[in-house]
Amino acid sequence: MTNLLTDHLGREVKVTSSPNRIVSICPAITETLFALGLENEIIGRTKYCIFPQKKVEKVEIVGGTKEVNEEKIRELQPDLILAEKEENTKEIVQALEKIAPVFVLEVQSIKDAYRFIRTLGALTNREQKAEELITSCKFSFPVVPGNEKKKAAYVIWRKPYMVVGGTTYINDVLHTLGFHNPFEKVGSRYPAVSKEEFAKANLDVLFLASEPFPFQEKHVAEFQSFLPNTKIILVDGEMFWYGAKMVTAGSYFKELIENI
C-alpha cells in the first residue's frame, strides 16, 4: 500500500506505508532515523553519515552528499530514499527518482528541525518516538533570556572566508543562544566575507567551525590579526546539526555560552 505525500519542497511523492529498505543521503537524517529505532530498516548511507558511531558502520555506503553511486543504490533495492534540500542536489534527487521514491526534507530553522523529526516519524510509522525525541530536544536546548545580543559570526570555510547567513538552522541557533549575526541579511545563505567586512562588523565573538572546513588552533591567530578585539572560539560543527543531535548539543551550547 502506498500513500501520496507532499514533501517539504511541495513535491507529491508516492511512499509505501511501511518502508523497510531506506537509503539516507543526509547525515542528520541517518542519525535521526537511528534515534527513532530504525536500525534494521536503514540499508544505505553516505560516507559523511558517521552517527551513531559503531551502529552506522553496519550500513552500506552509497557515496557522498553531492555525489552518489546510483548503481549501488539500485542494487540495494530501496523502497524509500530520503534527501535534504541543502545537503543534496536537485540533479541527485532527479536521478534517484528513477530508482525509488525520493522524499526531500528541508530545515532552515529550529522550528523546521522539529518538523523534520516529526516528518521522519510519520514516514516510518514512528510517530510516538518522534514526539518523544522532539520533547527531549526542547528540554535540552537552551534559550538565552533578554534582548541584549552580542554580535557573532559563524565561519564555515576558508579561501574564501564564508559565513552562515540568514534562513539557516545555524543562524537560528545563534539567535536562540543570544547572538545577533550581522551577516544574516547579506543576500546569501552562506556569503563570502572579506577581512575588511569582518572588521567593519564589530564582532564580539567569532565562531570557527570544525566542519565543513576543519578550522584549528592555528587559524585563531590568522583571524585575530585583523580582529584584535573579537573573541575567537573553535566550535564543534557537528553540534550544530539538527535532528537527533539536538539532544546532546544542548549541554554543549550551555557550556559554550557560559564561557563567553
Side-chain angles (χ1 to χ4, degrees):
M1 181 179 174
T2 60
N3 299 316
L4 188 61
L5 303 177
T6 303
D7 71 6
H8 291 176
L9 302 188
R11 300 160 59 251
E12 289 191 335
V13 184
K14 285 185 178 180
V15 179
T16 179
S17 56
S18 297
N20 55 28
R21 297 188 63 79
I22 302 171
V23 168
S24 165
I25 53 174
C26 167
I29 292 176
T30 302
E31 183 177 16
T32 304
L33 290 175
F34 272 97
L36 296 179
L38 291 152
E39 56 270 14
N40 294 326
E41 286 79 8
I42 308 167
I43 59 169
R45 63 173 173 105
T46 75
K47 60 185 177 182
Y48 302 113
C49 297
I50 57 175
F51 298 109
Q53 293 175 341
K54 294 185 179 179
K55 284 186 178 182
V56 79
E57 294 170 6
K58 300 174 184 177
V59 181
E60 188 83 23
I61 293 176
V62 297
T65 53
K66 309 299 182 189
E67 186 176 292
V68 298
N69 186 326
E70 293 176 34
E71 190 55 42
K72 183 173 285 188
I73 293 176
R74 192 183 303 276
E75 290 173 359
L76 289 173
Q77 298 182 318
D79 53 18
L80 178 62
I81 299 171
L82 295 169
E84 201 278 332
K85 182 184 177 182
E86 182 174 296
E87 290 288 330
N88 311 121
T89 67
K90 181 179 180 180
E91 291 72 24
I92 286 177
V93 171
Q94 291 175 334
L96 295 184
E97 281 180 318
K98 299 173 183 177
I99 299 173
V102 181
F103 193 99
V104 183
L105 299 102
E106 182 178 27
V107 177
Q108 297 185 1
S109 66
I110 294 172
K111 182 179 178 181
D112 283 350
Y114 297 142
R115 177 185 68 160
F116 166 90
I117 296 171
R118 190 168 284 119
T119 299
L120 289 177
L123 286 169
T124 59
N125 297 313
R126 296 294 194 282
E127 288 92 345
Q128 184 176 338
K129 283 270 191 181
E131 293 304 323
E132 290 171 357
L133 179 57
I134 290 170
T135 299
S136 295
C137 291
K138 290 181 176 180
F139 180 79
S140 171
F141 230 63
V143 177
V144 178
N147 296 318
E148 291 297 323
K149 293 183 180 291
K150 292 184 177 181
K151 290 183 180 180
Y154 185 103
V155 191
I156 63 166
W157 202 253
R158 182 174 179 267
K159 293 186 179 181
Y161 296 135
M162 293 176 69
V163 300
V164 164
T167 63
T168 63
Y169 169 75
I170 296 176
N171 186 60
D172 200 21
V173 170
L174 292 178
H175 276 287
T176 301
L177 298 181
F179 298 106
H180 166 66
N181 175 11
F183 301 112
E184 67 181 5
K185 295 182 179 179
V186 173
S188 168
R189 295 188 73 191
Y190 299 100
V193 178
S194 67
K195 292 181 179 180
E196 292 74 21
E197 288 170 322
F198 271 123
K200 188 177 178 181
N202 293 317
L203 296 167
D204 296 296
V205 184
L206 185 74
F207 296 114
L208 301 182
S210 60
E211 59 92 35
F213 182 86
F215 284 105
Q216 301 170 27
E217 195 63 46
K218 63 183 179 181
H219 298 111
V220 173
E222 177 183 325
F223 280 89
Q224 204 77 77
S225 66
F226 58 88
L227 295 173
N229 300 316
T230 299
K231 186 165 187 175
I232 300 174
I233 301 173
L234 294 170
V235 293
D236 183 349
E238 292 166 355
M239 288 296 168
F240 288 81
W241 292 7
Y242 46 82
K245 185 66 73 188
M246 296 169 76
V247 177
T248 53
S251 58
Y252 176 84
F253 290 147
K254 288 172 186 174
E255 184 176 345
L256 182 66
I257 57 180
E258 284 174 2
N259 293 328
I260 292 176

